[in-house]
PDB file of all heavy atoms in Angstrom:
ATOM      1  N   ILE A 389      96.214  91.275 107.927  1.00 98.00           N
ATOM      2  CA  ILE A 389      97.386  90.435 107.737  1.00 98.00           C
ATOM      3  C   ILE A 389      98.066  90.210 109.086  1.00 98.00           C
ATOM      4  O   ILE A 389      98.373  91.171 109.807  1.00 98.00           O
ATOM      5  CB  ILE A 389      98.414  91.109 106.803  1.00 98.00           C
ATOM      6  CG1 ILE A 389      97.749  91.629 105.536  1.00 98.00           C
ATOM      7  CG2 ILE A 389      99.560  90.158 106.467  1.00 98.00           C
ATOM      8  CD1 ILE A 389      98.565  92.694 104.837  1.00 98.00           C
ATOM      9  N   SER A 390      98.286  88.966 109.410  1.00 98.00           N
ATOM     10  CA  SER A 390      99.038  88.637 110.619  1.00 98.00           C
ATOM     11  C   SER A 390     100.524  88.899 110.363  1.00 98.00           C
ATOM     12  O   SER A 390     101.105  88.356 109.423  1.00 98.00           O
ATOM     13  CB  SER A 390      98.820  87.174 111.005  1.00 98.00           C
ATOM     14  OG  SER A 390      99.627  86.840 112.116  1.00 98.00           O
ATOM     15  N   LEU A 391     101.140  89.727 111.208  1.00 98.00           N
ATOM     16  CA  LEU A 391     102.536  90.119 110.994  1.00 98.00           C
ATOM     17  C   LEU A 391     103.530  89.150 111.621  1.00 98.00           C
ATOM     18  O   LEU A 391     104.736  89.324 111.474  1.00 98.00           O
ATOM     19  CB  LEU A 391     102.755  91.537 111.542  1.00 98.00           C
ATOM     20  CG  LEU A 391     101.930  92.632 110.854  1.00 98.00           C
ATOM     21  CD1 LEU A 391     102.186  93.982 111.512  1.00 98.00           C
ATOM     22  CD2 LEU A 391     102.251  92.700 109.361  1.00 98.00           C
ATOM     23  N   ARG A 392     103.033  88.139 112.319  1.00 97.00           N
ATOM     24  CA  ARG A 392     103.938  87.127 112.901  1.00 97.00           C
ATOM     25  C   ARG A 392     103.149  85.858 113.174  1.00 97.00           C
ATOM     26  O   ARG A 392     101.917  85.852 113.128  1.00 97.00           O
ATOM     27  CB  ARG A 392     104.575  87.652 114.191  1.00 97.00           C
ATOM     28  CG  ARG A 392     103.590  87.906 115.325  1.00 97.00           C
ATOM     29  CD  ARG A 392     104.322  88.429 116.560  1.00 97.00           C
ATOM     30  NE  ARG A 392     103.422  88.648 117.688  1.00 97.00           N
ATOM     31  CZ  ARG A 392     103.083  87.705 118.581  1.00 97.00           C
ATOM     32  NH1 ARG A 392     103.549  86.472 118.449  1.00 97.00           N
ATOM     33  NH2 ARG A 392     102.287  87.990 119.586  1.00 97.00           N
ATOM     34  N   LYS A 393     103.852  84.778 113.459  1.00 98.00           N
ATOM     35  CA  LYS A 393     103.195  83.552 113.919  1.00 98.00           C
ATOM     36  C   LYS A 393     102.656  83.822 115.321  1.00 98.00           C
ATOM     37  O   LYS A 393     103.391  84.334 116.178  1.00 98.00           O
ATOM     38  CB  LYS A 393     104.179  82.382 113.955  1.00 98.00           C
ATOM     39  CG  LYS A 393     104.588  81.865 112.584  1.00 98.00           C
ATOM     40  CD  LYS A 393     105.594  80.743 112.691  1.00 98.00           C
ATOM     41  CE  LYS A 393     104.950  79.457 113.175  1.00 98.00           C
ATOM     42  NZ  LYS A 393     104.131  78.813 112.115  1.00 98.00           N
ATOM     43  N   GLN A 394     101.390  83.514 115.538  1.00 97.00           N
ATOM     44  CA  GLN A 394     100.793  83.840 116.829  1.00 97.00           C
ATOM     45  C   GLN A 394      99.550  82.986 117.071  1.00 97.00           C
ATOM     46  O   GLN A 394      98.976  82.413 116.139  1.00 97.00           O
ATOM     47  CB  GLN A 394     100.425  85.322 116.898  1.00 97.00           C
ATOM     48  CG  GLN A 394      99.514  85.804 115.781  1.00 97.00           C
ATOM     49  CD  GLN A 394      99.310  87.309 115.821  1.00 97.00           C
ATOM     50  OE1 GLN A 394      98.905  87.870 116.842  1.00 97.00           O
ATOM     51  NE2 GLN A 394      99.603  87.989 114.700  1.00 97.00           N
ATOM     52  N   THR A 395      99.151  82.924 118.325  1.00 98.00           N
ATOM     53  CA  THR A 395      97.920  82.239 118.712  1.00 98.00           C
ATOM     54  C   THR A 395      97.027  83.233 119.431  1.00 98.00           C
ATOM     55  O   THR A 395      97.486  83.967 120.321  1.00 98.00           O
ATOM     56  CB  THR A 395      98.219  81.042 119.634  1.00 98.00           C
ATOM     57  OG1 THR A 395      99.054  80.113 118.943  1.00 98.00           O
ATOM     58  CG2 THR A 395      96.927  80.341 120.046  1.00 98.00           C
ATOM     59  N   VAL A 396      95.766  83.268 119.018  1.00 98.00           N
ATOM     60  CA  VAL A 396      94.786  84.177 119.626  1.00 98.00           C
ATOM     61  C   VAL A 396      93.741  83.327 120.340  1.00 98.00           C
ATOM     62  O   VAL A 396      93.215  82.369 119.773  1.00 98.00           O
ATOM     63  CB  VAL A 396      94.125  85.073 118.556  1.00 98.00           C
ATOM     64  CG1 VAL A 396      92.980  85.875 119.169  1.00 98.00           C
ATOM     65  CG2 VAL A 396      95.164  86.003 117.939  1.00 98.00           C
ATOM     66  N   CYS A 397      93.436  83.686 121.590  1.00 97.00           N
ATOM     67  CA  CYS A 397      92.450  82.955 122.385  1.00 97.00           C
ATOM     68  C   CYS A 397      91.191  83.796 122.573  1.00 97.00           C
ATOM     69  O   CYS A 397      91.279  85.015 122.810  1.00 97.00           O
ATOM     70  CB  CYS A 397      93.015  82.603 123.756  1.00 97.00           C
ATOM     71  SG  CYS A 397      94.491  81.573 123.687  1.00 97.00           S
ATOM     72  N   LEU A 398      90.037  83.165 122.468  1.00 97.00           N
ATOM     73  CA  LEU A 398      88.747  83.794 122.762  1.00 97.00           C
ATOM     74  C   LEU A 398      88.153  83.064 123.964  1.00 97.00           C
ATOM     75  O   LEU A 398      87.592  81.974 123.850  1.00 97.00           O
ATOM     76  CB  LEU A 398      87.805  83.700 121.555  1.00 97.00           C
ATOM     77  CG  LEU A 398      88.330  84.195 120.188  1.00 97.00           C
ATOM     78  CD1 LEU A 398      87.228  84.129 119.131  1.00 97.00           C
ATOM     79  CD2 LEU A 398      88.879  85.595 120.290  1.00 97.00           C
ATOM     80  N   LYS A 399      88.306  83.654 125.158  1.00 96.00           N
ATOM     81  CA  LYS A 399      87.933  82.971 126.396  1.00 96.00           C
ATOM     82  C   LYS A 399      86.459  82.615 126.467  1.00 96.00           C
ATOM     83  O   LYS A 399      86.088  81.551 126.960  1.00 96.00           O
ATOM     84  CB  LYS A 399      88.316  83.842 127.589  1.00 96.00           C
ATOM     85  CG  LYS A 399      89.812  83.922 127.862  1.00 96.00           C
ATOM     86  CD  LYS A 399      90.083  84.731 129.118  1.00 96.00           C
ATOM     87  CE  LYS A 399      91.590  84.862 129.359  1.00 96.00           C
ATOM     88  NZ  LYS A 399      91.872  85.709 130.553  1.00 96.00           N
ATOM     89  N   LYS A 400      85.593  83.506 125.998  1.00 95.00           N
ATOM     90  CA  LYS A 400      84.153  83.281 126.164  1.00 95.00           C
ATOM     91  C   LYS A 400      83.660  82.066 125.395  1.00 95.00           C
ATOM     92  O   LYS A 400      82.618  81.498 125.732  1.00 95.00           O
ATOM     93  CB  LYS A 400      83.358  84.525 125.752  1.00 95.00           C
ATOM     94  CG  LYS A 400      83.190  85.534 126.865  1.00 95.00           C
ATOM     95  CD  LYS A 400      81.961  86.400 126.644  1.00 95.00           C
ATOM     96  CE  LYS A 400      81.706  87.252 127.874  1.00 95.00           C
ATOM     97  NZ  LYS A 400      80.543  88.165 127.663  1.00 95.00           N
ATOM     98  N   VAL A 401      84.352  81.690 124.334  1.00 95.00           N
ATOM     99  CA  VAL A 401      83.926  80.510 123.570  1.00 95.00           C
ATOM    100  C   VAL A 401      84.952  79.378 123.694  1.00 95.00           C
ATOM    101  O   VAL A 401      84.813  78.350 123.033  1.00 95.00           O
ATOM    102  CB  VAL A 401      83.705  80.871 122.078  1.00 95.00           C
ATOM    103  CG1 VAL A 401      82.502  81.761 121.915  1.00 95.00           C
ATOM    104  CG2 VAL A 401      84.944  81.536 121.471  1.00 95.00           C
TER     105      VAL A 401
END
Side-chain angles (χ1 to χ4, degrees):
I389 311 160
S390 176
L391 298 178
R392 65 180 182 87
K393 288 178 73 74
Q394 55 186 306
T395 300
V396 172
C397 300
L398 308 184
K399 288 184 182 177
K400 274 205 171 177
V401 291

